[in-house]
Amino acid sequence: MYTKLGLFIGGKWIYEAKKGEDVLNPFDESVLGRLPHATEGDLNDAVKSAEKGFDEWRNTDPEIRSRVILRAADILSERISVISEVMTLEQGKPLAESAGEINQSIAILKFNGENAKLIKDKVVADRDNGLKTLIKPQPLGVCLCLTAWNFPIALVIRKIAPALAAGCSVIIKPSEETPGTAIEVIKIFQEAGLPKDVINLVFGVPHEISDYLLSRDEVKKVSFTGSVPVGKLLAKKAAESLKRCTLELGGHSPAIIAEDADIETTLDTLTGFKFRNAGQVCIAPSRFYVHEKIYDKVRDGFLNRIKNITLGNGLNDGISMGPLSNSRRVDAMKDFIDDAVKNGSNIIYGGSRYQDKGYFWEPTLIENIHEGSKMMTQEIFGPILALFKFNDYDDVIEKANSLNYGLASYVYTTSEVLQEKMAKEIVAGGVSINTASPMHPEIPYGGIKESGIGYEGGIDAIYSYIHKKNINII
Ligand code: NAD
């Protein structure tokens, strides 16, 4: 069953509004519900409420803050099947992937709940002249969190959990395309005992909301997950009053398969990782560089595996890939393929829309891609696996580093010398060797170059919501 859609402001649900939008099921384009949009008055109320919430939450004992977050984790554990269904309905991914994302979110809540009580004052200097310097962690205040639609719960929890652990209050605007999952999260926090003003939830026209909220002095930080162009816009806006920013933006991650790679294991790892969430994953590998000595074997191995991907309604058993989340992604896939074919690329498998109804795109394998083609320079964010041949390791590292993105990267080799070289020379937020990217809650993750600023995950995420005030006493 789908969620009743609303805004949560000042501890009250608002279900009716003059303006709003329909939320669609990407599987068949049917309307799941009507999402109300916040008015400027609602946004003002959200700021006032969040200020009140901040006052209360910052003065709440960290032990109690910890307990609330851990209780939310427990309640979420009891709701996995209900919320998985909501997520699959509005986002399209298969139920098992929705459940996996919820389990990941539970782990993030637990990590932040446990660490909330460890954020303590610290004496850093105790000098001979009697000077004592005490570092007092101070929560920043009201934080604006803006998230994308590809991971409707994990992205929300990756922001809310550390913000609450730090003692901040939050105004969150999740994606208007996947609001139901976020609403379920807010309900859980209320049941877990979070004071009603500490989280406010709003939806609307995205740029109108961010323009208004970033113009308010009460808002001290913005944390955004989404595309590079929108990240830059928000950073500019935040700069007007020097609000802090955490930006988790796009990527175009290289996967380098060396001649000595364990081919079968590599193919299994990469096929699963590439087509998870129909390729709509910021850290998904998207440029596959294969050594020429093993190229044909790798290409055939990918083809055999891709043929076994079953498309359909994510609610049904046996489905390994659902639809794309929205019609924009279908248009983008068509544009990438048309451009690549025009430039002489060879489609080995797929390459078209699947079914007229719903936002499906066939899992696609393509080769002979021209260096300057759109697929090579713009984030693919979809189920297209693009193969390139290489024969020189320095050259392939240069290619891997050639874009303005710097999020994830992947290397498959049994050579320790090559592992070390790649880990050192690839310019990215992370280098995964013979594996996919583990997104465990204790690992800080962040992009470099235009892929972002700051970290989510780990204790670093909590500190990104904290100012360290030093108190010097003699
Ligand atoms: P997008 O930037 O257009 O939208 C992302 C979210 O931001 C949506 O919820 C949208 O409503 C909101 N948004 C858009 N314009 C806004 C504005 N002016 N003010 C406030 N909010 C605004 O991106 P998209 O194409 O819909 O989403 C996919 C992008 O997100 C990809 O580039 C992907 O790599 C990125 N992403 C990054 C990470 C990461 O951790 N680095 C994780 C998930 C997605």
Side-chain angles (χ1 to χ4, degrees):
M1 210 178 67
Y2 195 59
T3 306
K4 185 173 179 185
L5 301 176
L7 316 168
F8 187 72
I9 296 173
K12 293 200 179 79
W13 288 100
I14 300 173
Y15 295 112
E16 303 291 333
K18 271 201 183 132
K19 288 190 181 163
E21 66 188 280
D22 289 339
V23 176
L24 304 183
N25 181 339
F27 163 66
D28 59 4
E29 302 171 47
S30 61
V31 176
L32 291 168
R34 181 88 185 151
L35 179 69
H37 280 186
T39 61
E40 204 166 291
D42 292 330
L43 296 178
N44 181 48
D45 291 347
V47 172
K48 294 284 165 219
S49 162
E51 264 221 307
K52 213 162 122 201
F54 176 55
D55 234 20
E56 185 173 355
W57 193 237
R58 72 193 297 211
N59 291 313
T60 300
D61 190 314
E63 286 283 346
I64 296 174
R65 297 207 288 247
S66 160
R67 243 178 274 154
V68 170
I69 299 169
L70 293 174
R71 212 174 296 142
D74 288 342
I75 302 172
L76 183 55
S77 311
E78 291 158 13
R79 308 249 165 105
I80 295 177
S81 62
V82 175
I83 302 179
S84 295
E85 192 178 323
V86 171
M87 201 190 307
T88 295
L89 280 169
E90 64 184 9
Q91 203 269 346
K93 65 183 66 171
L95 271 181
E97 284 190 32
S98 296
E101 188 183 330
I102 296 172
N103 276 314
Q104 187 196 3
S105 302
I106 293 166
I108 297 168
L109 283 168
K110 286 187 176 161
F111 175 86
N112 283 281
E114 290 300 340
N115 281 285
K117 54 192 171 199
L118 305 179
I119 306 294
K120 293 200 166 125
D121 296 359
K122 197 164 140 193
V123 175
V124 292
D126 200 348
R127 299 269 175 181
D128 291 346
N129 61 1
L131 172 74
K132 265 195 182 8
T133 296
L134 188 68
I135 305 297
K136 274 185 120 24
Q138 308 271 289
L140 291 177
V142 177
C143 297
L144 173 61
C145 299
L146 305 161
T147 57
W149 41 265
N150 57 337
F151 288 103
I153 193 164
L155 300 184
V156 166
I157 298 285
R158 273 168 87 79
K159 297 192 188 306
I160 289 184
L164 296 182
C168 291
S169 66
V170 167
I171 302 175
I172 183 152
K173 190 204 80 58
S175 167
E176 282 69 22
E177 288 166 337
T178 54
T181 308
I183 288 168
E184 297 297 334
V185 169
I186 304 305
K187 287 196 236 165
I188 285 173
F189 271 108
Q190 296 314 301
E191 287 171 49
L194 187 74
K196 67 180 176 55
D197 290 295
V198 179
I199 298 185
N200 283 260
L201 170 77
V202 297
F203 295 103
V205 178
H207 73 91
E208 289 176 6
I209 295 198
S210 59
D211 277 359
Y212 178 84
L213 292 174
L214 288 174
S215 72
R216 294 290 297 251
D217 287 341
E218 298 91 334
V219 175
K220 304 297 183 201
K221 167 173 175 153
V222 57
S223 177
F224 171 69
T225 301
S227 63
V228 173
V230 174
K232 286 182 179 175
L233 276 178
L234 294 170
K236 266 189 205 153
K237 187 81 194 161
E240 286 169 16
S241 52
L242 287 181
K243 295 186 197 311
R244 296 206 185 178
C245 290
T246 297
L247 301 173
E248 294 284 342
L249 308 178
H252 204 332
S253 307
I256 299 172
I257 309 177
E259 61 193 297
D260 60 3
D262 173 343
I263 295 182
E264 295 306 315
T265 313
T266 300
L267 288 168
D268 287 342
T269 305
L270 282 174
T271 310
F273 199 41
K274 170 68 211 175
F275 294 99
R276 183 168 70 112
N277 203 6
Q280 303 163 113
V281 180
C282 55
I283 53 171
S286 49
R287 294 176 284 150
F288 291 71
Y289 296 103
V290 185
H291 195 281
E292 61 178 15
K293 285 193 184 153
I294 54 163
Y295 183 87
D296 289 353
K297 197 167 177 197
V298 167
R299 183 191 51 202
D300 295 347
F302 273 133
L303 178 61
N304 290 337
R305 284 162 176 80
I306 291 172
K307 279 182 181 164
N308 290 328
I309 294 176
T310 42
L311 272 77
N313 186 349
L315 291 179
N316 295 340
D317 287 342
I319 297 301
S320 42
M321 196 177 104
L324 292 164
S325 281
N326 51 56
S327 60
R328 299 188 307 284
R329 293 315 316 149
V330 177
D331 296 344
M333 294 311 112
K334 183 166 173 9
D335 196 33
F336 282 134
I337 293 291
D338 288 351
D339 174 72
V341 169
K342 201 175 73 200
N343 284 300
S345 298
N346 172 30
I347 296 174
I348 303 165
Y349 189 79
S352 305
R353 196 170 175 171
Y354 170 80
Q355 292 184 177
D356 292 339
K357 201 107 189 122
Y359 305 133
F360 286 97
W361 191 267
E362 293 172 332
T364 298
L365 184 62
I366 187 167
E367 65 180 353
N368 295 336
I369 296 133
H370 187 265
E371 289 280 327
S373 66
K374 288 186 186 175
M375 199 182 287
M376 270 305 288
T377 51
Q378 298 171 20
E379 191 177 16
I380 296 178
F381 223 59
I384 299 176
L385 195 160
L387 288 175
F388 304 85
K389 221 180 255 185
F390 78 91
N391 59 18
D392 178 87
Y393 288 107
D394 288 316
D395 186 45
V396 80
I397 291 172
E398 200 181 311
K399 284 201 166 72
N401 291 340
S402 64
L403 301 183
N404 278 336
Y405 294 107
L407 197 57
S409 64
Y410 304 91
V411 177
Y412 299 87
T413 173
T414 49
S415 152
E416 283 182 18
V417 174
L418 205 49
Q419 290 174 2
E420 211 172 297
K421 178 179 172 69
M422 298 277 182
K424 186 173 168 203
E425 294 181 20
I426 292 179
V427 183
V431 182
S432 294
I433 300 170
N434 296 328
T435 180
S437 262
M439 293 303 279
H440 298 312
E442 61 278 9
I443 302 177
Y445 210 100
I448 53 172
K449 298 205 250 181
E450 293 194 354
S451 287
I453 297 176
Y455 302 94
E456 283 196 330
I459 201 81
D460 303 61
I462 301 180
Y463 278 105
S464 77
Y465 292 91
I466 280 173
H467 166 68
K468 291 180 183 172
K469 184 176 189 181
N470 61 64
I471 315 289
N472 304 297
I473 316 167
I474 278 208

